[in-house]
């Protein structure tokens, strides 16, 4: 079978050949433990078609993923807790197509807790058989641990798949210098965190690089690592990447020039921090590495000039869905939902990761073919003003735009961090902005906006950030009548007024009642 032979019908036939009927609905836990790995199916697909799975037609990828989802539902139905959950929503058999798959209920942190904490009742293969790893999430919102369980065998498969993808389609174009080449991460001194174990597992599996699991580093340690000859890439949380120019103040010009890739974790990196990085490290390219506790590599930014994230084919099913759990159209925003495709022993179907994404057109070759999406903010990044809801990400963008046109000040160029504080009981909404010189910045803004400028700034900007469901009910006049007061407050860098989680993340919104 060649690439030109494949159509939709033959793609389904090949998927059925790769995962035959006798493997589709295992009848016991023992049969689950003997199932061939899905990683092996991806490799066999490549052998049959003559091209790597990542470069196979999207129709074939879709057919094989659907076949795998049918198998995962069959596996999950062996577990009493999953069976009860799926039956409640009318799921008794494998979904015939993606429309039926979208009837599978979305999972959230509560479901994850019920399935994999305490008695860990959602495991298909019991924990006492061994061969598992427990991983905890730090959590962007509250910093409280939430555990998940993985089969070590399947975890190693995913590390290998994601690492090979990074090497072939992302880092290869940026780490082209003479060997040796280095890939380090400053994530997770507490190695039970998903960021320390799982991202490190992926990075250590990238071919042709030397991996350093550094954990949090001091200036002397960074200087020591950067003294190694060869080009370097480093992955860390967004705040950690933003600190690199300060941390690397003592680096030699040669060491600065050797830094080629700065990868920041889930979220977004302020423009000011990008400018500082590129001014300090003349050859650096900045890329996003998007991961979560249930998904060690959700999406990778492959091109520093394009913010879109690309899924690793065959690693997870990545869905961008509306409020009914249905796929949104290209260009539309929705909730990020992930299903791990390598999870026979510990399935977790359709997990909401707490992020908003915009669905982008897929890469359709030549070469790599895969789905793409773009980060649009955390699901919790919502400003509640009485009964109206506003996207905090869009609200910040609107405030920034109006402030720039009115005063000439660009928040993206001066801000180290920003955070909304919404005191609902007091009806007070404040945007805190960390800058180098709060007093001078405040004076300049006050002069540019005038006495009632801040209130006018918010009431005219907020209508540009309306949620999908109340785009007709809130206007500048309506916002004036909410009873809210509005503040724009500039604070020193690293101010304790800006609240951070226990793992150093800065949520965009802090909501008070």
């Amino acid at each position: 079978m060649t690439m030109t032979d494949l159509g939709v019908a033959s793609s389904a036939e090949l998927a059925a050949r790769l995962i035959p009927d006798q493997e589709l609905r295992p009848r016991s836990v023992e049969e689950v433990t003997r199932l061939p790995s899905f990683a092996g199916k991806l490799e066999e697909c490549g052998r049959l078609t003559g091209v790597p799975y990542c470069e196979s037609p999207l129709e074939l990828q879709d057919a094989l993923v659907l076949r795998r989802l049918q198998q995962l539902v069959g596996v999950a139905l062996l577990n009493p807790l999953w069976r009860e959950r799926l039956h409640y929503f009318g799921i008794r058999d494998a979904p015939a197509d993606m429309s039926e798959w979208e009837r599978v209920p979305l999972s959230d942190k509560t479901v994850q807790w019920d399935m994999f904490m305490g008695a860990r009742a959602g495991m298909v293969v019991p924990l006492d058989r061994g061969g598992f790893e427990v991983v905890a999430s730090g959590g962007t919102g509250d910093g409280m641990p939430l555990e998940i369980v993985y089969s070590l065998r399947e975890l190693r498969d995913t590390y290998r798949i994601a690492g090979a993808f990074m090497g072939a389609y992302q880092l290869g174009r940026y780490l082209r210098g003479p060997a040796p080449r280095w890939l380090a991460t400053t994530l997770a001194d507490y190695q039970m965190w998903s960021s320390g174990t799982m991202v490190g597992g992926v990075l250590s599996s990238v071919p042709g690089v030397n991996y350093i699991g550094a954990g949090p580093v001091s200036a002397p340690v960074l200087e020591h690592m950067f003294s190694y000859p060869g080009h370097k890439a480093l992955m860390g949380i967004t705040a950690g990447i933003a600190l690199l120019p300060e941390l690397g103040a003592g680096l030699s010009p040669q060491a600065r020039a050797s830094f080629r890739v700065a990868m920041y974790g889930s979220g977004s990196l302020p423009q000011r921090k990008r400018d500082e990085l590129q001014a300090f490290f003349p050859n650096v390219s900045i890329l996003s590495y998007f991961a979560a506790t249930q998904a060690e590599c959700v999406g990778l930014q492959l091109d520093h000039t394009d913010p879109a994230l690309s899924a690793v084919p065959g690693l997870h099913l990545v869905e961008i869905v509306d409020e009914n759990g249905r796929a949104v159209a290209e260009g539309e925003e929705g909730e990020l939902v992930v299903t791990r495709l390598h999870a026979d022993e510990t399935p977790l179907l359709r997990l909401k990761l707490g992020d908003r994404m915009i669905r982008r057109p897929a890469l359709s070759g030549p070469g790599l073919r895969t789905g793409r999406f773009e980060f649009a903010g955390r699901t919790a990044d919502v400003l509640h003003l009485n009964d109206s809801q506003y996207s905090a990400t869009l609200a910040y963008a609107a405030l920034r735009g109006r402030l720039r046109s009115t005063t000439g000040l660009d928040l993206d160029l001066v801000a180290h961090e920003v955070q909304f504080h919404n005191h609902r009981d007091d009806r007070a909404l404040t945007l805190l902005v960390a800058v180098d010189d709060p007093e001078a910045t405040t004076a300049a803004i006050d002069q540019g906006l005038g006495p009632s400028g801040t209130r006018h700034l918010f009431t005219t900007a907020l209508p540009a950030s309306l949620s999908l469901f109340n785009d007709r009910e809130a206007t500048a006049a309506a916002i004036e009548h909410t009873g809210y007061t509005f503040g724009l407050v500039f604070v020193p860098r690293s101010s304790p007024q800006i609240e951070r989680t226990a793992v150093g993340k800065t949520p965009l919104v802090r909501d008070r009642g």
Side-chain angles (χ1 to χ4, degrees), residues 477-497:
I479 294 168
E480 285 281 6
H481 288 92
T482 60
Y484 259 78
T485 59
F486 300 99
L488 177 62
V489 177
F490 294 96
V491 298
R493 186 177 182 178
S494 303
S495 168
Q497 288 180 257

Side-chain angles (χ1 to χ4, degrees), residues 62-115:
D62 291 344
L64 185 53
V65 167
L66 174 61
R67 189 74 171 172
R68 175 56 171 158
L69 296 176
Q70 293 170 335
Q71 186 181 37
L72 283 175
V73 170
V75 169
L77 285 168
L78 283 172
N79 173 274
L81 194 57
W82 275 112
R83 185 163 60 247
E84 178 185 4
R85 177 171 171 76
L86 292 172
H87 283 184
Y88 180 82
F89 287 91
I91 310 296
R92 296 180 177 273
D93 296 296
D97 52 30
M98 288 306 295
S99 180
E100 283 196 13
W101 164 258
E102 289 176 343
R103 292 173 48 220
V104 172
L106 300 178
S107 300
D108 57 16
K109 286 189 174 184
T110 301
V111 173
Q112 184 177 331
W113 181 284
D114 292 341
M115 295 291 179

Side-chain angles (χ1 to χ4, degrees), residues 212-223:
I212 303 174
V217 298
S218 60
V221 171
L222 186 72
E223 188 172 348

Side-chain angles (χ1 to χ4, degrees), residues 45 49 58 69 72 84 151 183 225 233 259 464 493:
C45 181
T49 60
L58 292 171
L69 296 176
L72 283 175
E84 178 185 4
S151 156
L183 178 54
M225 287 197 308
F259 189 32
R493 186 177 182 178

